[in-house]
């Protein structure tokens, strides 16, 4: 068990659907992250939360909406996505944003039809 | 802006042999951290090894070691006695050490390692 759990593992949605990705960590970490991993591209940081506060939005379109209700949970709400948004979405956590080591989840594979 | 380049999209190694994965980076900073992450088919990214730029000694973790050449901005990963379980995507990553700078990890595009039995 990795300590960072992501659900669902796979998600298929239409462009007009609304869905959410969930990330949960039981490591006592205070920082959580969303990354996007597309085929043949480097991982892209999307959002950063530190102590439940969003500290970075890396120019992500508004059709992606993050939510961090507490330090253990992170959501990514999806609405009106495009086919090019199909990717693996990875959640990670760390002790805080100054920490060197990230712990990743196994990702949610999203397919937008 | 910092960049990380992995020039080998795919590498292959015979089980029990040694393989070296290449990584170069570009930065104007003097203090930073470098990492190698492994992503097996299970998709979870796992930290393999890390190196602090201020340390001259190369990091080692069991069968994994790095060759850190700061002047050349090179950070290669050597896997000794390769095992079937080493088959995965390997990502090189950079992180600035300056707290007021971006704490983002900058990843390379990855190298797929195949291990032949």
């Amino acid at each position: 068990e990795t300590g960072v759990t992501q659900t669902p593992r796979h998600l298929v949605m239409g462009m007009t659907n609304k869905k959410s990705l969930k990330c949960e960590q039981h490591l006592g970490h205070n920082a959580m992250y969303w990354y996007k991993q597309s085929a043949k591209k480097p991982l892209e940081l999307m959002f950063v939360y530190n102590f439940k506060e969003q500290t970075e939005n890396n120019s992500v379109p508004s059709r992606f909406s993050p939510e961090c209700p507490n330090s253990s949970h992170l959501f990514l709400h999806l609405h009106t996505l495009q086919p090019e948004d199909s990717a693996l979405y990875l959640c990670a956590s760390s002790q805080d944003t100054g920490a060197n080591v990230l712990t990743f989840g196994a990702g949610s594979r999203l397919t937008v039809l | 802006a910092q960049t990380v380049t992995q020039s080998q999209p795919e590498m292959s190694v015979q089980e029990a042999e040694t393989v070296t994965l290449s990584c170069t980076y570009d930065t104007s900073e003097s203090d930073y951290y470098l990492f190698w992450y492994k992503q097996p088919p299970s998709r979870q990214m796992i930290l393999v090894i890390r190196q602090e730029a201020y340390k001259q000694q190369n990091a080692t973790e069991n069968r994994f070691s790095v060759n850190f050449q700061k002047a050349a901005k090179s950070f290669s990963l050597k896997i000794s006695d390769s095992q079937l379980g080493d088959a995965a995507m390997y990502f090189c990553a950079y992180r600035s050490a300056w707290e007021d700078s971006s704490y983002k990890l900058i990843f390379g595009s990855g190298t797929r390692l195949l291990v032949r039995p």
Side-chain angles (χ1 to χ4, degrees), chain B residues 50-94:
Chain B
R50 65 176 173 174
Q51 174 82 41
E52 290 89 346
Y54 64 86
K55 290 186 177 179
Q56 292 187 351
Q57 186 173 6
N58 289 324
T60 62
E61 286 287 341
N62 300 313
R63 298 182 295 107
F64 298 87
S65 62
V66 299
N67 184 4
F68 174 47
Q69 301 289 330
K70 191 172 184 179
K73 297 180 183 176
S74 171
F75 183 61
S76 61
L77 175 69
K78 185 172 82 171
I79 306 174
S80 304
D81 185 25
S82 296
Q83 301 175 0
L84 295 177
D86 295 333
M89 284 289 290
Y90 286 82
F91 293 92
C92 179
Y94 168 102

Side-chain angles (χ1 to χ4, degrees), chain A residues 7-26:
Chain A
T7 54
R9 289 295 303 271
H10 302 272
L11 177 63
V12 179
M13 61 186 289
M15 289 190 286
T16 58
N17 291 157
K18 289 184 181 180
K19 297 286 185 183
S20 296
L21 306 181
K22 179 182 177 182
C23 176
E24 186 173 2
Q25 57 93 4
H26 301 286

Side-chain angles (χ1 to χ4, degrees), chain A residues 32-91:
Chain A
M32 297 186 77
Y33 311 79
W34 278 116
Y35 284 87
K36 177 182 179 182
Q37 186 177 19
S38 304
K40 300 181 180 179
K41 291 178 67 176
L43 269 74
E44 302 170 62
L45 179 69
M46 299 176 71
F47 300 104
V48 179
Y49 278 82
N50 197 31
F51 292 91
K52 301 189 296 178
E53 297 297 320
Q54 185 180 133
T55 57
E56 181 143 348
N57 176 337
N58 200 25
S59 302
V60 180
S62 59
R63 57 186 183 268
F64 295 91
S65 175
E67 178 189 2
C68 189
N70 54 62
S71 292
S72 299
H73 294 86
L74 183 65
F75 294 89
L76 188 61
H77 303 301
L78 315 170
H79 176 50
T80 323
L81 295 191
Q82 305 299 312
E84 59 265 29
D85 296 323
S86 299
L88 180 67
Y89 289 85
L90 291 167
C91 174

Side-chain angles (χ1 to χ4, degrees), chain B residues 42-55:
Chain B
S42 65
R43 306 183 323 206
Q44 186 210 350
M45 299 273 281
I46 303 166
L47 178 66
V48 175
I49 199 166
R50 65 176 173 174
Q51 174 82 41
E52 290 89 346
Y54 64 86
K55 290 186 177 179

